[in-house]
Amino acid sequence: MKFICPTIGEDDERDFLVTGNLEDFRIIVFSDIDEFKSGIDYLEVVGYQPTEVSIKLFKELSKNDDEFKGIRLNPHNENLFISKKEILDKF
């Protein structure tokens, strides 16, 4: 399974768009490029580029990063929170 993530920066210096804080964060993801375009407009953020990311990355974060709490899917309409437990159990 793949998602579109807003990122800023290049290569190893790329950062995801997140909600929360450093000790308790969720990565914002979109189901496809059309949702990305709508969501970025809704969130009123600039400079972020669409980056395709596999669920494998979120599984690794779920296993290895205590501060990562999950992903927020299509925050402009569905606003679905998928916890790290769900990521590990369902995907």
Side-chain angles (χ1 to χ4, degrees):
M1 174 173 257
K2 301 217 184 243
F3 298 98
I4 304 296
C5 295
T7 59
I8 197 162
E10 295 182 20
D11 301 323
D12 291 341
E13 298 298 319
R14 203 173 344 189
D15 292 319
F16 290 102
L17 183 59
V18 301
T19 62
N21 57 54
L22 291 176
E23 294 81 31
D24 181 17
F25 70 93
R26 295 150 188 87
I27 296 175
I28 294 176
V29 302
F30 298 97
S31 53
D32 59 42
I33 195 67
D34 292 329
E35 294 293 347
F36 169 85
K37 290 174 184 174
S38 298
I40 288 297
D41 289 344
Y42 172 82
L43 295 171
E44 298 180 345
V45 294
V46 295
Y48 284 85
Q49 300 299 315
T51 303
E52 189 174 82
V53 177
S54 170
I55 192 67
K56 291 177 186 177
L57 173 67
F58 301 122
K59 284 185 175 190
E60 287 300 313
L61 283 171
S62 295
K63 292 176 191 173
N64 300 316
D65 191 330
D66 292 337
E67 288 80 23
F68 174 68
K69 301 304 178 199
I71 58 177
R72 178 80 53 197
L73 178 64
N74 297 330
H76 60 295
N77 56 24
E78 291 178 72
N79 200 24
L80 178 65
F81 174 64
I82 302 171
S83 71
K84 63 197 285 180
K85 181 178 181 343
E86 290 174 295
I87 291 169
L88 291 171
D89 292 347
K90 295 183 181 180
F91 294 98

